[in-house]
Amino acid sequence: MSIKKAAGRVLIHPGTISLLTTALIILLFIPTPGKYNLQIVDQTFPLNTSSIIYDDLDGNGYSDKVEAQYYAKENGIASLIIRCYPSKSFNEWDFKGSFPPASPNFLIAGDYNNDGKKEVYVFTISSDSIYLNIIQNPKSKNTDTSTRFITTFKPWNGKPNFEIFIPGLVDMNQDSFKDLVFSINSGFSLYPRSVYIYDIKNDNLSVSQKTGYFGQPSVIGDINGDGYNEIILNGYAIQCVKDTIATPVHDNCCWLIVYDHNLNRLFPPRKFADIGYSKLTTLALPGNTGKPEMFACYIPPESSGKNLSLIHFDQQGNIKKTYSIPGNVLGTLTPFITFRDGQTNKLALSISGSEIICLDTALNPVSRFKCKPGMFSLPDSLDIDSDGIKEIICLDESRHLFTVFRHDLKDPVSIILPEANWSYKKISVIIKPGNTPQISIFNGERELILAYKYNPFYYTRWAVYLAIFLAIYLFIILIRRIQRNQILKQQKTEKKITELQMKVVRNQMDPHFTMNAINSVISAINENEKEQATKHLIYFSKMYRHLVLTADKIKCTLAEELDFTRNYLTMEQFRFRDKFDFDFEIPPELNLNLEVPKMVIQSPVENAIKHGLINLPGKGHLTVRANTSDHILILEITDNGIGRANAAKLSQHSTGKGMKAMEEFLKLYQKVTGLKAETAIEDLTDKEGNPAGTKVTVKIQINRPA
């Protein structure tokens, strides 16, 4: 079988058709399920609420709800309500003043003394002052609270104009007690713009050197290997403080600033020369020495025409390597993050909002992959499913698109949030043992509760795909079976019609032969040759008996056909007074039980005598040969007669029905049996080119091809 035929059979096989159809259906109509599901399960609109966080305050495995509410009509009361789970009891603490209105990040819970129970830290404002309030035991109504003055601020247009950012509680002075690290940054009111470390155990507040730069603590880690943690700032140039009226560290450009555990600068601020609205996002990763190494993403002003840059700094803030990326992502405050790919730390950065590029710590690109626009906006990390590994969360404020990646940036799942202002947001995780983890997103007006869970259909989809494939496969098999039955029924009908046609053709041949045979007997009687007439009648009776017994058949064995033809030749030889002689060349090994079309030899023999031999001046000769080759039976009838051209001149009134009937008979035979049968006539000549007889070759296929 040729490769082309084999390929054709594969293409039309029901399995191939089913597979291609299934793939098309899946691509067009069945969305590929993600490994995880994300859906909104609840939505509320809490009144007078400034912030909501969830945290396990007492270590019982349940997240407790901490809700900050402000009642302006009651002389400015800032209330903190804590709902405890699973008991559902709640406690309330009231503070004079209000909560900071411009920032949702004024509230955090943490365990500073490592006793397994968390305190609640909340900032309030009263008049022009900012206070830190600490609830030591949030689950006890009689717990003590403490209030610590932090700083004053200058209102802008009569309103507070600052943001508070709290990265968390970290042990900065290595006394085994955590300290609260935070920053306060004013806008057009200029000050304060400082980083603070509050030593909770010793009630000591440290403040960074006065600066005009808008910076937030981003990375806290031991950068220089001295055993103490340092603080690296994120920041951006918002162009509120002019260089002439502020400290040398202004906000007309970006600066790389690192503080030690005492809030002294680890090295002089590294200035980025481009003046204009720009951003600098920093992070640190363990290097080859085990110490954190500093990386930053610098987004220059659009007017500069420069590309976004990833920068690797040494411990003194000197640039070790820069990787430039075409494009600008100024709309993203934190355009890149670190993630774990197996045992390797990688950097990930969003390019043009719809592609993520991943780099190793040597700033060599290692991979890229497409994502939906906005899917990687404002990336942050949060341990959603309490497995000890933080997932990567992103919220595109303009598209209201919330996305959760796994820690290795795989298996993202997204959801469209209701249209609202999501720039003011607080995100936390709700944990209830035995239940699916939930995510709380609060934007100052509404709270959304989202369920993040494993999608059971992620793997069972293969069973669905298989079911679709099997359904299509069985449908194709059913249709093909119906078609095959219809074809067989049609073929059966056609076969009956063809057999009837063959019988009609055969009935045209039989009388033709019968008349010739009778003429031979009559000739013997007329010559008063009774003995010959008797022999001819015996031959004729044998032949006619064969015709009668095979009246309803279209084929016979080769032995029967040869015997029939031999009897016929004997009769014709007598009829024409030994005008010709004949012989049969049949190999002894030839299988005489092969089936052949009825009268397939006799008809050409009769034609050879009638048109080629009786008109020959001398004595004619006729030879019948039979042999096989490559599953083909080859029959040859050769005469040394006058040839077809001379015969046509002498036999002007011949109808030629004998050979025409045989050719039609062979075509019908092939149609019924599926076995190919064909004839070929060859005019023979002598050395001088004169007609020397005719050769008829009949080729009959013995069995069907594989």
Side-chain angles (χ1 to χ4, degrees):
M1 184 185 298
S2 67
I3 296 177
K4 189 174 181 180
K5 285 185 178 180
R9 288 191 177 185
V10 170
L11 288 175
I12 64 174
H13 190 275
T16 305
I17 297 173
S18 301
L19 186 63
L20 294 175
T21 306
T22 300
L24 188 62
I25 290 174
I26 292 172
L27 288 174
L28 295 179
F29 302 107
I30 303 179
T32 302
K35 195 172 183 178
Y36 295 87
N37 279 335
L38 187 63
Q39 62 184 40
I40 298 174
V41 296
D42 195 13
Q43 180 176 198
T44 58
F45 296 85
L47 296 176
N48 304 316
T49 300
S50 301
S51 183
I52 296 175
I53 67 168
Y54 291 84
D55 208 329
D56 182 5
L57 300 178
D58 58 359
N60 67 351
Y62 287 84
S63 296
D64 305 299
K65 183 178 182 181
V66 183
E67 187 172 359
Q69 296 183 345
Y70 172 63
Y71 301 96
K73 293 182 179 180
E74 299 180 10
N75 298 319
I77 298 297
S79 296
L80 202 66
I81 299 174
I82 299 178
R83 302 183 185 276
C84 306
Y85 292 93
S87 65
K88 298 184 179 179
S89 62
F90 71 92
N91 300 323
E92 180 177 346
W93 288 265
D94 295 330
F95 306 97
K96 183 181 178 180
S98 62
F99 297 116
S103 171
N105 299 308
F106 59 84
L107 177 61
I108 192 173
D111 181 10
Y112 92 97
N113 57 3
N114 304 306
D115 64 354
K117 296 181 180 180
K118 294 183 179 180
E119 309 79 42
V120 174
Y121 303 84
V122 57
F123 288 87
T124 57
I125 57 175
S126 181
S127 185
D128 63 349
S129 299
I130 302 174
Y131 296 92
L132 171 63
N133 305 278
I134 304 175
I135 303 175
Q136 297 290 342
N137 186 359
K139 288 209 167 185
S140 174
K141 292 183 178 180
N142 300 319
T143 186
D144 293 332
T145 61
S146 60
T147 299
R148 180 67 158 83
F149 169 77
I150 301 300
T151 186
T152 59
F153 66 91
K154 182 179 180 181
W156 181 259
N157 292 332
K159 297 181 180 180
N161 181 232
F162 64 86
E163 290 184 4
I164 297 176
F165 181 77
I166 314 174
L169 273 68
V170 182
D171 185 1
M172 296 297 296
N173 55 13
Q174 298 300 313
D175 63 353
S176 300
F177 289 87
K178 295 186 180 69
D179 308 296
L180 182 66
V181 180
F182 60 94
S183 65
I184 301 176
N185 285 287
S186 297
F188 286 101
S189 58
L190 307 183
Y191 299 110
R193 292 187 179 181
S194 302
V195 177
Y196 301 81
I197 299 176
Y198 178 54
D199 182 349
I200 304 168
K201 178 178 180 295
N202 299 306
D203 189 24
N204 180 52
L205 183 67
S206 301
V207 185
S208 64
Q209 182 180 345
K210 186 177 182 181
T211 176
Y213 188 52
F214 200 104
Q216 300 173 336
S218 169
V219 179
I220 302 176
D222 186 5
I223 303 300
N224 59 2
D226 63 353
Y228 292 90
N229 288 316
E230 284 77 42
I231 301 171
I232 310 175
L233 299 188
N234 280 344
Y236 53 99
I238 57 176
Q239 297 183 292
C240 295
V241 180
K242 294 183 180 179
D243 194 8
T244 56
I245 66 172
T247 67
V249 183
H250 51 77
D251 69 355
N252 289 321
C253 65
C254 285
W255 304 79
L256 176 66
I257 300 176
V258 180
Y259 292 112
D260 65 13
H261 65 286
N262 292 317
L263 289 182
N264 298 314
R265 291 168 182 164
L266 195 62
F267 49 79
R270 303 303 184 195
K271 180 180 179 180
F272 290 78
D274 304 303
I275 302 298
Y277 186 73
S278 53
K279 296 182 181 180
L280 184 73
T281 305
T282 60
L283 54 80
L285 287 172
N288 295 329
T289 62
K291 299 177 182 178
E293 296 190 11
M294 293 184 292
F295 297 86
C297 178
Y298 174 59
I299 307 173
E302 292 185 20
S303 59
S304 70
K306 295 181 179 180
N307 294 329
L308 178 149
S309 298
L310 294 183
I311 306 170
H312 185 189
F313 295 97
D314 64 15
Q315 297 173 6
Q316 299 302 315
N318 300 310
I319 295 177
K320 296 176 65 176
K321 185 177 180 180
T322 299
Y323 180 77
S324 179
I325 302 174
N328 199 307
V329 286
L330 258 176
T332 304
L333 177 62
T334 311
F336 84 128
I337 60 170
T338 176
F339 70 99
R340 293 283 290 178
D341 185 6
Q343 300 298 318
T344 308
N345 288 306
K346 300 281 181 66
L347 303 172
L349 173 71
S350 176
I351 303 296
S352 302
S354 59
E355 185 178 12
I356 297 175
I357 180 172
C358 301
L359 307 96
D360 60 21
T361 53
L363 296 187
N364 298 311
V366 292
S367 64
R368 289 174 180 256
F369 60 92
K370 296 288 184 181
C371 64
K372 294 179 182 178
M375 183 180 284
F376 202 65
S377 180
L378 292 173
D380 200 353
S381 58
L382 197 64
D383 185 5
I384 297 175
D385 51 10
S386 299
D387 61 353
I389 304 176
K390 291 185 177 182
E391 283 69 49
I392 298 168
I393 60 172
C394 308
L395 201 163
D396 185 334
E397 299 165 358
S398 62
R399 295 181 176 87
H400 316 298
L401 181 70
F402 184 73
T403 305
V404 178
F405 293 85
R406 301 304 294 174
H407 69 278
D408 53 3
L409 274 183
K410 295 179 181 178
D411 303 312
V413 56
S414 298
I415 190 171
I416 300 295
L417 304 182
E419 290 191 13
N421 178 17
W422 295 105
S423 59
Y424 180 100
K425 61 185 176 296
K426 188 68 178 179
I427 303 176
S428 54
V429 178
I430 306 173
I431 300 297
K432 296 179 181 179
N435 294 289
T436 301
Q438 295 179 329
I439 305 169
S440 168
I441 307 178
F442 178 71
N443 73 340
E445 295 179 352
R446 74 176 79 192
E447 182 189 16
L448 294 178
I449 304 297
L450 283 68
Y452 175 76
K453 58 184 178 180
Y454 176 77
N455 183 6
F457 186 65
Y458 180 72
Y459 288 112
T460 58
R461 75 189 191 279
W462 296 110
V464 175
Y465 296 162
L466 179 61
I468 294 173
F469 170 81
L470 291 176
I472 295 173
Y473 182 81
L474 293 175
F475 178 76
I476 292 175
I477 293 297
L478 177 63
I479 294 299
R480 287 198 170 188
R481 181 165 295 180
I482 293 173
Q483 289 178 336
R484 187 179 295 110
N485 290 338
Q486 290 177 339
I487 291 171
L488 290 174
K489 187 176 180 180
Q490 183 179 359
Q491 288 177 342
K492 189 175 181 180
T493 302
E494 290 179 352
K495 184 176 181 180
K496 288 182 179 180
I497 294 172
T498 303
E499 287 177 345
L500 290 174
Q501 290 175 333
M502 291 185 71
K503 288 179 181 179
V504 171
V505 173
R506 191 201 62 223
N507 290 336
Q508 292 175 355
M509 296 165 60
D510 289 354
H512 189 265
F513 154 76
T514 303
M515 292 303 300
N516 288 338
I518 292 174
N519 287 336
S520 296
V521 175
I522 293 172
S523 176
I525 294 173
N526 289 336
E527 295 293 332
N528 200 24
E529 295 178 349
K530 294 180 180 181
E531 186 179 346
Q532 290 294 335
T534 301
K535 289 181 180 180
H536 278 66
L537 282 173
I538 293 172
Y539 291 143
F540 177 73
S541 66
K542 289 181 180 180
M543 296 170 64
Y544 204 77
R545 180 175 177 273
H546 171 75
L547 292 176
V548 171
L549 292 177
T550 59
D552 60 341
K553 298 179 180 178
I554 60 173
K555 53 188 177 180
C556 62
T557 65
L558 178 59
E560 290 173 337
E561 180 64 20
L562 290 172
D563 188 58
F564 183 87
T565 304
R566 190 177 286 108
N567 289 335
Y568 172 75
L569 283 170
T570 302
M571 292 179 64
E572 289 294 271
Q573 190 180 40
F574 170 76
R575 176 187 172 194
F576 292 108
R577 301 302 175 181
D578 295 323
K579 182 68 177 175
F580 66 92
D581 56 16
F582 63 89
D583 66 290
F584 286 74
E585 297 180 4
I586 310 298
E589 69 275 8
L590 183 63
N591 182 8
L592 298 180
N593 291 320
L594 295 174
E595 291 187 330
V596 296
K598 189 177 176 182
M599 301 182 76
V600 69
I601 300 176
Q602 188 275 335
S603 293
V605 165
E606 180 183 347
N607 208 55
I609 295 171
K610 180 179 178 182
H611 299 292
L613 297 177
I614 62 173
N615 295 315
L616 190 68
K619 190 171 184 178
H621 183 77
L622 187 142
T623 302
V624 176
R625 297 184 182 91
N627 212 333
T628 56
S629 176
D630 295 331
H631 304 288
I632 301 294
L633 175 63
I634 303 173
L635 302 173
E636 293 180 353
I637 298 92
T638 306
D639 68 75
N640 64 344
I642 62 175
R644 289 189 298 171
N646 291 328
K649 297 176 183 178
L650 298 175
S651 304
Q652 296 180 357
H653 301 292
S654 174
T655 61
K657 287 184 178 180
M659 287 304 295
K660 288 181 181 179
M662 174 52 64
E663 290 176 359
E664 185 178 356
F665 184 82
L666 291 179
K667 289 180 182 178
L668 294 171
Y669 176 85
Q670 180 176 340
K671 187 175 181 181
V672 170
T673 63
L675 300 174
K676 191 174 182 180
E678 59 184 1
T679 60
I681 302 176
E682 179 184 355
D683 294 314
L684 305 177
T685 58
D686 58 18
K687 294 181 180 180
E688 288 75 25
N690 299 317
T694 306
K695 179 181 178 182
V696 177
T697 303
V698 182
K699 294 183 179 180
I700 305 169
Q701 193 173 353
I702 297 174
N703 47 35
R704 299 178 188 273

